[in-house]
């Protein structure tokens, strides 16, 4: 093994790649690394396996062009270099086969949904009531790709058709559906749940839907009745001052509004089937992040912790991603909470928490799971 490869363990490599990004040197003719430059997420990212770890890695923003990491690709394969020295092998997934198909009315499948490694994902409605107002989320690029790279509004029938093809042709194992907030009542949850029901009927894949807290929590029962397996209800940060600054529309719900929604969602969907994004690097106070994650975990909510990934074209495009050491230390803290309360990403059934490619939590989860196993009584280990 090259000398430098031995100096970076998997966890350190993962967190540095996700925070610093990579420069791409692709010597193949006409080929590209799967990913896209806009949308709701993961935006400005390429999809990779590095040392077998699933990753989405920033590639297009200015800070990624200053990264010490390079992804070098040629006909023999791919590898990751750091300051020109070999670090790790990489695998760039081939272009999904279902991307070459179109609906009967001529819409390319890739404008309806994308394959994120092994998860088919779609921003069902590519618009938001906050966009272009003072309530707009500063980190979000949901309307940047409308009409160019996506179909602005996907129908249940389109999504059922595309997800079935993704399963059959490319081995997709689950579906993630998200949307901008469409109104101030159900926030769009009912429409994307109709889409989920069509997908479940067509191909049976597990589905996570993502939406803001609805005004009436009875909406959660309707979402569950549609056959949805998991929900993502994303507060983005547990620091109320940061939330008010970067996501003023979401801040009107208030963190207590999120906790009330999560509590009911766990009752409906079960522990580990409810998740929230927690973005690091927006000026938050760490103690509030850890306190909020602990409270969420105690409820049975999976806090999906990720580094800020500033996306070109958004209000936060000029920001810098957080220091990898800070991200790693929060990963370690939150993973310990997850282990203590028996939450594991593998139980998520579908969605971002199941996939883990945008976070490093699962790498730290494995460490604490091993420690918990070692600390169990011998009789319990062999039971």
């Amino acid at each position: 093994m090259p000398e430098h490869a031995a100096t970076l363990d998997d966890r350190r490599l993962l967190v540095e790649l996700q925070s610093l990004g990579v420069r791409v040197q692709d010597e193949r003719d006409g080929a590209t690394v799967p990913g896209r430059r806009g949308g709701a997420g993961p935006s400005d990212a390429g999809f990779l396996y590095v040392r077998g770890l699933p990753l989405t890695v920033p590639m297009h923003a200015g800070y990624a062009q200053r990264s010490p990491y390079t992804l070098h690709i040629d006909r023999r394969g791919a590898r990751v270099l750091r300051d020109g020295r070999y670090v790790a092998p990489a695998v760039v997934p081939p272009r999904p086969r279902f991307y070459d198909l179109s609906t009967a009315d001529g819409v390319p499948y890739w404008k309806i949904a994308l394959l994120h490694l092994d998860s088919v994902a779609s921003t069902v409605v590519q618009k938001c009531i906050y966009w272009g107002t003072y309530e707009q989320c500063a980190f979000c690029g949901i309307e940047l790709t409308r009409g160019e790279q996506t179909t602005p509004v996907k129908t249940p029938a389109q999504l059922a058709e595309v997800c079935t093809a993704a399963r059959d042709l490319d081995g997709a194992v689950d579906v993630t559906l998200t949307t901008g907030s469409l109104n101030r009542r159900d926030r769009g949850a009912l429409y994307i749940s109709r889409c989920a029901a069509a997908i479940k009927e067509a191909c049976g894949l597990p589905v996570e839907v993502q939406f803001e807290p609805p005004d009436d929590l009875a909406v959660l029962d309707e979402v569950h009745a549609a056959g949805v397996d998991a929900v993502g209800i994303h507060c983005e940060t547990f620091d109320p001052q940061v939330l008010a600054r970067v996501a003023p529309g979401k801040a009107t719900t208030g963190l207590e509004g999120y906790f009330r929604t999560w509590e009911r969602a766990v009752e409906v969907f079960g522990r580990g089937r409810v998740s929230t994004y927690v973005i690091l690097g927006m000026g938050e106070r760490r103690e509030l992040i850890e306190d909020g994650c602990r409270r969420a975990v105690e409820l049975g909510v999976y806090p999906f912790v990720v580094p800020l990934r500033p996306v070109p074209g958004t209000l936060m495009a000029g920001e810098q991603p957080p220091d990898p050491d800070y991200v790693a230390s929060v990963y370690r803290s939150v993973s310990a909470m997850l282990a203590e309360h028996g939450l594991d990403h593998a139980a998520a059934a579908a969605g971002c928490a199941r996939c883990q490619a945008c976070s490093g939590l699962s790498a730290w989860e494995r460490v604490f799971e091993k420690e918990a196993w070692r600390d169990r009584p011998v009789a319990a280990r062999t039971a």
Side-chain angles (χ1 to χ4, degrees):
M1 178 181 293
E3 179 184 353
H4 193 70
T7 66
L8 285 172
D9 67 16
D10 289 350
R11 289 171 295 160
R12 183 68 193 182
L13 177 58
L14 178 155
V15 76
E16 288 195 357
L17 286 171
Q18 289 187 333
S19 285
L20 304 177
V22 295
R23 292 172 286 124
V24 179
Q25 293 181 349
D26 196 338
E27 298 180 1
R28 302 170 299 169
D29 291 333
T32 59
V33 180
R36 72 177 185 190
R37 294 180 181 237
S43 300
D44 184 43
F47 306 132
L48 304 172
Y49 292 93
V50 178
R51 293 183 185 165
L53 298 170
L55 296 177
T56 59
V57 183
M59 293 182 174
H60 306 299
Y63 67 86
Q65 305 315 305
R66 298 187 294 272
S67 172
Y69 287 98
T70 301
L71 176 67
H72 187 272
I73 313 169
D74 57 27
R75 289 179 299 173
R76 296 173 297 174
R79 57 192 182 275
V80 176
L81 310 176
R82 193 180 198 280
D83 296 324
R85 301 176 66 187
Y86 174 87
V87 171
V91 174
V92 178
R95 174 183 168 85
R97 289 186 287 175
F98 80 87
Y99 284 13
D100 295 327
L101 303 179
S102 297
T103 63
D105 53 353
V107 180
Y109 277 12
W110 58 265
K111 283 195 170 187
I112 296 168
L114 296 177
L115 192 65
H116 297 177
L117 297 174
D118 61 359
S119 180
V120 59
S122 178
T123 303
V124 175
V125 182
Q126 204 91 23
K127 63 181 180 180
C128 181
I129 58 174
Y130 301 148
W131 190 265
T133 77
Y134 73 94
E135 293 184 301
Q136 180 175 333
C137 294
F139 48 78
C140 182
I142 189 169
E143 295 203 20
L144 295 178
T145 57
R146 287 184 63 192
E148 299 176 8
Q149 299 180 45
T150 69
T151 299
V153 180
K154 292 80 171 177
T155 69
Q158 286 175 330
L159 286 163
E161 180 180 339
V162 172
C163 290
T164 300
R167 180 199 65 180
D168 294 345
L169 297 178
D170 296 285
V173 301
D174 73 352
V175 180
T176 304
L177 303 179
T178 191
T179 180
S181 278
L182 307 185
N183 56 57
R184 298 183 188 272
R185 300 179 301 280
D186 70 279
R187 305 289 179 161
L190 296 180
Y191 182 70
I192 58 174
S193 295
R194 283 176 50 201
C195 296
I199 292 166
K200 298 284 288 189
E201 182 178 359
C203 64
L205 286 176
V207 181
E208 177 183 88
V209 299
Q210 301 175 350
F211 51 88
E212 277 197 271
D215 284 356
D216 183 353
L217 295 186
V219 167
L220 297 171
D221 297 284
E222 296 185 59
V223 172
H224 185 258
V228 169
D229 299 276
V231 292
I233 303 171
H234 302 157
C235 72
E236 318 297 354
T237 180
F238 287 110
D239 188 323
Q241 293 180 7
V242 173
L243 184 63
R245 174 169 52 82
V246 304
K250 285 176 172 277
T252 60
T253 297
L255 290 174
E256 289 307 315
Y258 277 91
F259 277 104
R260 284 192 297 271
T261 306
W262 294 332
E263 184 174 17
R264 177 61 184 146
V266 171
E267 292 174 358
V268 173
F269 293 92
R271 287 173 51 82
R273 298 292 182 95
V274 181
S275 61
T276 179
Y277 258 73
V278 181
I279 304 174
L280 302 180
M282 299 191 296
E284 67 278 352
R285 289 163 285 182
R286 175 174 174 169
E287 64 273 14
L288 295 182
I289 299 302
E290 294 187 347
D291 288 346
C293 286
R294 183 175 296 104
R295 184 178 168 190
V297 168
E298 289 170 353
L299 277 180
V301 175
Y302 191 100
F304 191 64
V305 182
V306 299
L308 174 66
R309 182 173 289 163
V311 176
T314 64
L315 299 177
M316 296 186 76
E319 300 294 320
Q320 295 299 308
D323 182 84
D325 288 334
Y326 167 61
V327 177
S329 65
V330 177
Y331 281 162
R332 181 173 182 83
S333 177
V334 174
S335 294
M337 300 173 198
L338 292 167
E340 179 184 355
H341 292 274
L343 286 185
D344 187 296
H345 73 279
C352 297
R354 197 284 308 166
C355 173
Q356 289 285 314
C358 293
S359 177
L361 271 178
S362 62
W364 273 260
E365 279 182 38
R366 290 192 291 271
V367 173
F368 286 102
E369 286 168 356
K370 289 178 182 177
E371 291 177 358
W373 176 260
R374 186 183 61 238
D375 293 339
R376 294 173 68 189
V378 173
R381 293 184 210 169
T382 57

